[in-house]
Amino acid sequence: MADLKLTLVVACALVDADKRVLIAQRPEGKTLAGLWEFPGGKCEPGERPEQSLIRELHEELGITVAEPCLAPLTFASYGYETFHLLMPLYICRRWEGLVTPREGQTLAWVRANKLRDYPMPPADIPLIPHLIDLLM
Ligand code: C5P
């Protein structure tokens, strides 16, 4: 059996006062360009998942999140061709700063029951019902 390369990515559903969720469209030049995803990114060696997420949210969106504001909701586990993705999804309802697309990504605030209208990577799609249960 080939070695399984396990990749840990952390993702976050930012939820606004109207219970809309932030998604970001992966820009040209990245894998899966054009697909919509929950903000986040890869865990770097030595980082706890929450630290990675706080770093990614700051880099990608310019916001500051305090660790107690991150609540784990569920996780994705998906076998891509070259690696297996494990991706915890956190919920965050409070942050500091204005959400700003800092990496050329397009952003959208979407009601949970409309998330299926936005094409997502296959790993992200099974997360949607959890958000519908929580927010609708
Ligand atoms: O964002 P980044 O390119 O570092 O993520 C690594 C890989 O993890 C992506 O190429 C994609 O296959 C997967 N991914 C995903 N869903 C996300 C974020 C990343 O399936 N929300």
Side-chain angles (χ1 to χ4, degrees), residues 16-30:
D16 74 3
D18 296 326
K19 293 189 177 179
R20 295 175 309 169
V21 176
L22 184 74
I23 53 174
Q25 192 174 31
R26 292 177 70 89
E28 286 307 315
K30 267 193 153 185

PDB file of all heavy atoms in Angstrom, residues 16-30:
ATOM      1  N   ASP A  16     -21.718  36.291  10.441  1.00  0.00           N
ATOM      2  CA  ASP A  16     -22.004  37.693  10.789  1.00  0.00           C
ATOM      3  C   ASP A  16     -23.324  37.788  11.563  1.00  0.00           C
ATOM      4  O   ASP A  16     -23.966  36.770  11.860  1.00  0.00           O
ATOM      5  CB  ASP A  16     -21.956  38.585   9.545  1.00  0.00           C
ATOM      6  CG  ASP A  16     -23.161  38.409   8.620  1.00  0.00           C
ATOM      7  OD1 ASP A  16     -24.080  37.627   8.955  1.00  0.00           O
ATOM      8  OD2 ASP A  16     -23.182  39.061   7.570  1.00  0.00           O
ATOM      9  N   ALA A  17     -23.713  39.023  11.889  1.00  0.00           N
ATOM     10  CA  ALA A  17     -24.895  39.242  12.738  1.00  0.00           C
ATOM     11  C   ALA A  17     -26.173  38.739  12.066  1.00  0.00           C
ATOM     12  O   ALA A  17     -27.154  38.437  12.748  1.00  0.00           O
ATOM     13  CB  ALA A  17     -25.019  40.721  13.066  1.00  0.00           C
ATOM     14  N   ASP A  18     -26.179  38.653  10.727  1.00  0.00           N
ATOM     15  CA  ASP A  18     -27.346  38.127  10.001  1.00  0.00           C
ATOM     16  C   ASP A  18     -27.251  36.623   9.750  1.00  0.00           C
ATOM     17  O   ASP A  18     -27.971  36.092   8.901  1.00  0.00           O
ATOM     18  CB  ASP A  18     -27.499  38.843   8.650  1.00  0.00           C
ATOM     19  CG  ASP A  18     -27.797  40.313   8.831  1.00  0.00           C
ATOM     20  OD1 ASP A  18     -28.480  40.648   9.814  1.00  0.00           O
ATOM     21  OD2 ASP A  18     -27.328  41.122   8.006  1.00  0.00           O
ATOM     22  N   LYS A  19     -26.323  35.968  10.448  1.00  0.00           N
ATOM     23  CA  LYS A  19     -26.114  34.519  10.321  1.00  0.00           C
ATOM     24  C   LYS A  19     -25.657  34.119   8.923  1.00  0.00           C
ATOM     25  O   LYS A  19     -25.919  33.005   8.466  1.00  0.00           O
ATOM     26  CB  LYS A  19     -27.384  33.737  10.682  1.00  0.00           C
ATOM     27  CG  LYS A  19     -27.767  33.829  12.136  1.00  0.00           C
ATOM     28  CD  LYS A  19     -28.883  32.838  12.376  1.00  0.00           C
ATOM     29  CE  LYS A  19     -29.315  32.773  13.811  1.00  0.00           C
ATOM     30  NZ  LYS A  19     -30.401  31.822  14.003  1.00  0.00           N
ATOM     31  N   ARG A  20     -24.998  35.043   8.224  1.00  0.00           N
ATOM     32  CA  ARG A  20     -24.413  34.679   6.931  1.00  0.00           C
ATOM     33  C   ARG A  20     -22.981  34.213   7.154  1.00  0.00           C
ATOM     34  O   ARG A  20     -22.305  34.654   8.096  1.00  0.00           O
ATOM     35  CB  ARG A  20     -24.441  35.870   5.969  1.00  0.00           C
ATOM     36  CG  ARG A  20     -25.846  36.322   5.596  1.00  0.00           C
ATOM     37  CD  ARG A  20     -25.809  37.568   4.749  1.00  0.00           C
ATOM     38  NE  ARG A  20     -24.971  38.592   5.376  1.00  0.00           N
ATOM     39  CZ  ARG A  20     -24.589  39.711   4.775  1.00  0.00           C
ATOM     40  NH1 ARG A  20     -24.958  39.972   3.536  1.00  0.00           N
ATOM     41  NH2 ARG A  20     -23.819  40.582   5.407  1.00  0.00           N
ATOM     42  N   VAL A  21     -22.526  33.350   6.259  1.00  0.00           N
ATOM     43  CA  VAL A  21     -21.210  32.718   6.380  1.00  0.00           C
ATOM     44  C   VAL A  21     -20.309  33.292   5.286  1.00  0.00           C
ATOM     45  O   VAL A  21     -20.733  33.485   4.147  1.00  0.00           O
ATOM     46  CB  VAL A  21     -21.357  31.192   6.186  1.00  0.00           C
ATOM     47  CG1 VAL A  21     -20.012  30.503   6.214  1.00  0.00           C
ATOM     48  CG2 VAL A  21     -22.279  30.617   7.253  1.00  0.00           C
ATOM     49  N   LEU A  22     -19.039  33.522   5.644  1.00  0.00           N
ATOM     50  CA  LEU A  22     -18.095  34.046   4.653  1.00  0.00           C
ATOM     51  C   LEU A  22     -17.444  32.892   3.885  1.00  0.00           C
ATOM     52  O   LEU A  22     -16.934  31.944   4.489  1.00  0.00           O
ATOM     53  CB  LEU A  22     -16.996  34.848   5.343  1.00  0.00           C
ATOM     54  CG  LEU A  22     -16.024  35.522   4.368  1.00  0.00           C
ATOM     55  CD1 LEU A  22     -16.673  36.726   3.704  1.00  0.00           C
ATOM     56  CD2 LEU A  22     -14.733  35.937   5.055  1.00  0.00           C
ATOM     57  N   ILE A  23     -17.472  33.006   2.569  1.00  0.00           N
ATOM     58  CA  ILE A  23     -16.703  32.081   1.731  1.00  0.00           C
ATOM     59  C   ILE A  23     -15.818  32.887   0.804  1.00  0.00           C
ATOM     60  O   ILE A  23     -16.086  34.067   0.521  1.00  0.00           O
ATOM     61  CB  ILE A  23     -17.593  31.094   0.937  1.00  0.00           C
ATOM     62  CG1 ILE A  23     -18.658  31.832   0.147  1.00  0.00           C
ATOM     63  CG2 ILE A  23     -18.199  30.045   1.856  1.00  0.00           C
ATOM     64  CD1 ILE A  23     -19.476  30.907  -0.767  1.00  0.00           C
ATOM     65  N   ALA A  24     -14.749  32.257   0.346  1.00  0.00           N
ATOM     66  CA  ALA A  24     -13.764  32.940  -0.498  1.00  0.00           C
ATOM     67  C   ALA A  24     -13.532  32.103  -1.746  1.00  0.00           C
ATOM     68  O   ALA A  24     -13.475  30.870  -1.677  1.00  0.00           O
ATOM     69  CB  ALA A  24     -12.451  33.113   0.270  1.00  0.00           C
ATOM     70  N   GLN A  25     -13.389  32.781  -2.887  1.00  0.00           N
ATOM     71  CA  GLN A  25     -13.148  32.073  -4.145  1.00  0.00           C
ATOM     72  C   GLN A  25     -11.654  31.954  -4.374  1.00  0.00           C
ATOM     73  O   GLN A  25     -10.936  32.957  -4.349  1.00  0.00           O
ATOM     74  CB  GLN A  25     -13.807  32.827  -5.301  1.00  0.00           C
ATOM     75  CG  GLN A  25     -13.857  32.018  -6.569  1.00  0.00           C
ATOM     76  CD  GLN A  25     -14.651  32.714  -7.664  1.00  0.00           C
ATOM     77  OE1 GLN A  25     -14.682  33.944  -7.722  1.00  0.00           O
ATOM     78  NE2 GLN A  25     -15.269  31.937  -8.524  1.00  0.00           N
ATOM     79  N   ARG A  26     -11.191  30.718  -4.572  1.00  0.00           N
ATOM     80  CA  ARG A  26      -9.747  30.505  -4.771  1.00  0.00           C
ATOM     81  C   ARG A  26      -9.308  31.209  -6.052  1.00  0.00           C
ATOM     82  O   ARG A  26      -9.911  31.028  -7.109  1.00  0.00           O
ATOM     83  CB  ARG A  26      -9.440  29.004  -4.830  1.00  0.00           C
ATOM     84  CG  ARG A  26      -9.655  28.324  -3.478  1.00  0.00           C
ATOM     85  CD  ARG A  26      -9.435  26.838  -3.556  1.00  0.00           C
ATOM     86  NE  ARG A  26      -8.046  26.463  -3.760  1.00  0.00           N
ATOM     87  CZ  ARG A  26      -7.149  26.253  -2.796  1.00  0.00           C
ATOM     88  NH1 ARG A  26      -7.496  26.412  -1.531  1.00  0.00           N
ATOM     89  NH2 ARG A  26      -5.931  25.888  -3.074  1.00  0.00           N
ATOM     90  N   PRO A  27      -8.245  32.049  -5.961  1.00  0.00           N
ATOM     91  CA  PRO A  27      -7.841  32.846  -7.123  1.00  0.00           C
ATOM     92  C   PRO A  27      -7.131  32.015  -8.185  1.00  0.00           C
ATOM     93  O   PRO A  27      -6.665  30.907  -7.913  1.00  0.00           O
ATOM     94  CB  PRO A  27      -6.886  33.892  -6.529  1.00  0.00           C
ATOM     95  CG  PRO A  27      -6.472  33.377  -5.213  1.00  0.00           C
ATOM     96  CD  PRO A  27      -7.463  32.352  -4.759  1.00  0.00           C
ATOM     97  N   GLU A  28      -7.042  32.593  -9.395  1.00  0.00           N
ATOM     98  CA  GLU A  28      -6.292  31.979 -10.498  1.00  0.00           C
ATOM     99  C   GLU A  28      -4.878  31.669 -10.032  1.00  0.00           C
ATOM    100  O   GLU A  28      -4.299  32.425  -9.257  1.00  0.00           O
ATOM    101  CB  GLU A  28      -6.226  32.943 -11.696  1.00  0.00           C
ATOM    102  CG  GLU A  28      -7.526  33.083 -12.464  1.00  0.00           C
ATOM    103  CD  GLU A  28      -8.105  31.751 -12.910  1.00  0.00           C
ATOM    104  OE1 GLU A  28      -7.343  30.907 -13.416  1.00  0.00           O
ATOM    105  OE2 GLU A  28      -9.327  31.556 -12.736  1.00  0.00           O
ATOM    106  N   GLY A  29      -4.339  30.569 -10.513  1.00  0.00           N
ATOM    107  CA  GLY A  29      -2.957  30.229 -10.179  1.00  0.00           C
ATOM    108  C   GLY A  29      -2.852  29.258  -9.018  1.00  0.00           C
ATOM    109  O   GLY A  29      -1.822  28.624  -8.828  1.00  0.00           O
ATOM    110  N   LYS A  30      -3.908  29.157  -8.220  1.00  0.00           N
ATOM    111  CA  LYS A  30      -3.922  28.188  -7.113  1.00  0.00           C
ATOM    112  C   LYS A  30      -4.587  26.907  -7.599  1.00  0.00           C
ATOM    113  O   LYS A  30      -5.369  26.940  -8.562  1.00  0.00           O
ATOM    114  CB  LYS A  30      -4.750  28.732  -5.944  1.00  0.00           C
ATOM    115  CG  LYS A  30      -3.968  29.485  -4.896  1.00  0.00           C
ATOM    116  CD  LYS A  30      -4.829  29.690  -3.654  1.00  0.00           C
ATOM    117  CE  LYS A  30      -4.020  29.817  -2.394  1.00  0.00           C
ATOM    118  NZ  LYS A  30      -4.865  29.898  -1.199  1.00  0.00           N
TER     119      LYS A  30
END
